[in-house]
Amino acid sequence: MSQLKPAVNSKDHVQGKNEAPLELVEYGDYQCPHCGHAYPIIKNVQRSLGADLKFVFRNFPLSEMHPDAFNAAVAAEAAELQQKFWDMHDIIFENQQKLDMISLFFYAKTIGLDLERFKNDIQKSTLIVKVEQDFESGVRSGVNGTPSFFINGKKYNGDWEEDAFNQYLKSQLSVT
Amino acid sequence: MLALETFAPDFELNCTPDQKLKLSELRSKKIILAFYPADWSPVCSDQMSLYNEMLKFFSRHNAQLIGISVDSKWCHLAFSENHKFHFPLLADFEPKGAVSKLYEVYDEKEGESLRALYVLDEKGIIRWNYLSPAGINPGADGILDALEDLDKSKSIQS
């Protein structure tokens, strides 16, 4: 079974407690409709599992298929520099049909980013490299499309519709 | 599948409606042969779209990706344009599946290629192979590991 490489580390975007018994990692593409479908499901799963779940998002933009996905990923990384990664991640998924540059700036403004700084940050090569490194780590980990999920480091190939996903995660809770 | 460390048999197939591609013309590069069942099917589209994003990773290892299915050259053209592919799709169309049969990756019942991968080295020797269940996208980690191992073994030899 495919293993998450590298393991979750300080470069990752993490929601939840570090010591949570369940770790869910998503490799996602902001312009991918399946990821858009997964977005509210993950929110609900997080609510349902509470402190037992830690959620991590890594970038896996398929740029040829989704021409705005890479820019959106960089925009979310730029928001991280103002401690607002998850606000940007959320607003992008909630508006994923409009991800052109003007829209990304509008979302940045909506969540209260310093726009001058954001404008500079999205051109930083370090952020571009970060997104590329996420992609490469996904390939290494056996990601074959988006969204791909890893639960406690192992690739999850099962059903991720809400009830099934919730049930599976809860079943893993008793294993750990 | 054909055995490792054997010579990959040569073939020539259409890569565009008016151009043919001969395997032996690509010596000096590593070759990734990706046989797949059908243009437009969901799993094949996902798999080929993933590989399309991987081309720069493959080229770091001096490797060229080639997709092969029994679809016609015109079908390949439409599939490729629609998905913005930047690698050749070969039409194993007439006689149907001849190259897939030669590489022992033909599904007689479905009349399609199996979902199978070969990695050839610069001399045309088969160095890695993988047969995936038809419904499962095998991803690219196996290919990358194989390409890396090849580069490593080369640097040890030299």
Side-chain angles (χ1 to χ4, degrees), chain B:
Chain B
M1 295 191 81
L2 297 177
L4 301 186
E5 308 306 325
T6 60
F7 199 69
D10 201 14
F11 58 80
E12 187 177 46
L13 290 173
N14 272 86
C15 58
T16 69
D18 54 8
Q19 277 178 304
K20 291 199 173 214
L21 193 146
K22 196 171 186 180
L23 182 67
S24 54
E25 283 164 6
L26 296 171
R27 292 284 145 70
S28 83
K29 280 192 167 198
K30 299 185 189 74
I31 304 292
I32 303 151
L33 293 178
F35 291 88
Y36 63 95
D39 287 353
W40 305 105
S41 80
V43 178
C44 299
S45 300
D46 283 356
Q47 185 188 3
M48 293 304 132
S49 296
L50 174 68
Y51 292 176
N52 194 36
E53 306 281 345
M54 299 284 309
L55 299 179
K56 80 173 171 202
F57 295 89
F58 296 152
S59 68
R60 277 181 210 162
H61 297 283
N62 187 33
Q64 169 70 48
L65 170 69
I66 295 171
I68 306 179
S69 77
V70 298
D71 297 281
S72 77
K73 55 196 181 183
W74 296 104
C75 185
H76 275 337
L77 181 67
F79 183 51
S80 187
E81 281 183 357
N82 184 272
H83 288 76
K84 301 194 191 83
F85 290 155
H86 301 293
F87 60 92
L89 297 179
L90 302 190
D92 195 9
F93 181 72
E94 182 58 38
K96 190 182 178 194
V99 173
S100 305
K101 286 173 194 164
L102 186 63
Y103 277 77
E104 300 177 0
V105 290
Y106 190 68
D107 182 340
E108 297 278 354
K109 196 166 150 250
E110 297 290 333
E112 293 173 340
S113 305
L114 294 165
R115 197 178 303 285
L117 300 167
Y118 282 100
V119 170
L120 318 180
D121 68 13
E122 290 87 342
K123 293 178 186 135
I125 311 285
I126 298 170
R127 302 299 295 267
W128 183 77
N129 62 19
Y130 181 76
L131 180 64
S132 184
I136 307 237
N137 172 354
D141 47 327
I143 298 173
L144 278 188
D145 289 347
L147 293 174
E148 251 168 33
D149 288 348
L150 276 180
D151 282 346
K152 260 184 232 155
S153 65
K154 205 183 305 166
S155 62
I156 291 167
Q157 279 165 15
S158 56

Side-chain angles (χ1 to χ4, degrees), chain A residues 57-69:
Chain A
F57 184 86
R58 287 182 178 174
N59 299 294
F60 202 80
L62 295 175
S63 313
E64 293 288 342
M65 205 181 345
H66 300 137
D68 295 329

Side-chain angles (χ1 to χ4, degrees), chain A residues 59-93:
Chain A
N59 299 294
F60 202 80
L62 295 175
S63 313
E64 293 288 342
M65 205 181 345
H66 300 137
D68 295 329
F70 196 93
N71 285 343
V74 171
E77 294 298 329
E80 168 71 12
L81 300 181
Q82 299 185 47
Q83 288 77 49
K84 292 205 168 179
F85 172 81
W86 290 104
D87 299 85
M88 197 64 174
H89 165 277
D90 290 2
I91 198 169
I92 288 175
F93 269 133

Side-chain angles (χ1 to χ4, degrees), chain A residues 22-110:
Chain A
L22 285 177
E23 176 193 276
L24 174 65
V25 176
E26 175 187 1
Y27 279 91
D29 170 323
Y30 287 110
Q31 211 180 347
C32 155
H34 305 293
C35 299
H37 181 71
Y39 167 73
I41 293 174
I42 290 164
K43 289 272 181 225
N44 288 341
V45 164
Q46 284 182 290
R47 225 165 278 136
S48 155
L49 283 149
D52 288 333
L53 183 72
K54 167 170 66 172
F55 175 60
V56 175
F57 184 86
R58 287 182 178 174
N59 299 294
F60 202 80
L62 295 175
S63 313
E64 293 288 342
M65 205 181 345
H66 300 137
D68 295 329
F70 196 93
N71 285 343
V74 171
E77 294 298 329
E80 168 71 12
L81 300 181
Q82 299 185 47
Q83 288 77 49
K84 292 205 168 179
F85 172 81
W86 290 104
D87 299 85
M88 197 64 174
H89 165 277
D90 290 2
I91 198 169
I92 288 175
F93 269 133
E94 284 160 20
N95 298 277
Q96 76 167 165
Q97 61 287 1
K98 280 189 83 174
L99 298 179
D100 57 283
M101 260 309 163
I102 294 170
S103 302
L104 290 174
F105 270 86
F106 178 74
Y107 306 145
K109 187 172 175 225
T110 308

